[in-house]
Amino acid sequence: MRTIETAQTFLTAAEVDQLVGDYLAGMSVKFLAERYGIHRATVFSHLRRRNVPSRRPGLGVDEKAEAVRLARAGVSMRAISRRMGVDRKGVRLALVEAGVIVDESRSLV
């Protein structure tokens, strides 16, 4: 039986340079994987080979403030996460820290 495999995408050194620059500029790994047509694990491999320090997942100070502003304006966590390129957990954490929403799982202790 023969299997059909996915075509492998190889990046040039210049494309890897651009990928690293995009990552350092704040683009998410998921976005980069889609942009360059490679798997997320491959993005991490390229970054690791270039000794690029991994970012702490979540939002920076300015991004948290923007997430809070958007949430108070009635924008959903899903829409905020898509707009900012992070997962909903990061947005939710920022909103809990700011007191915009209550973390009920922690209040049951």
Side-chain angles (χ1 to χ4, degrees), residues 9-94:
T9 303
F10 292 97
L11 300 182
T12 65
E15 288 171 322
V16 175
D17 290 342
Q18 184 63 48
L19 180 143
V20 169
D22 290 344
Y23 179 80
L24 293 173
M27 292 183 189
S28 72
V29 170
K30 180 182 177 188
F31 178 82
L32 293 172
E34 291 169 3
R35 180 179 204 176
Y36 290 92
I38 58 178
H39 194 274
R40 291 185 323 268
T42 306
V43 172
F44 282 116
S45 293
H46 284 301
L47 296 173
R48 195 171 35 257
R49 280 194 288 272
R50 294 286 181 96
N51 296 316
V52 176
S54 62
R55 289 193 302 255
R56 180 184 59 79
L59 302 172
V61 175
D62 294 338
E63 293 169 319
K64 286 180 183 181
E66 178 67 3
V68 168
R69 186 189 70 72
L70 291 169
R72 288 190 172 139
V75 179
S76 72
M77 278 194 282
R78 174 175 280 165
I80 294 169
S81 67
R82 285 183 180 160
R83 179 185 235 170
M84 302 185 95
V86 297
D87 66 9
R88 279 186 282 171
K89 291 178 193 174
V91 173
R92 185 176 191 289
L93 180 61

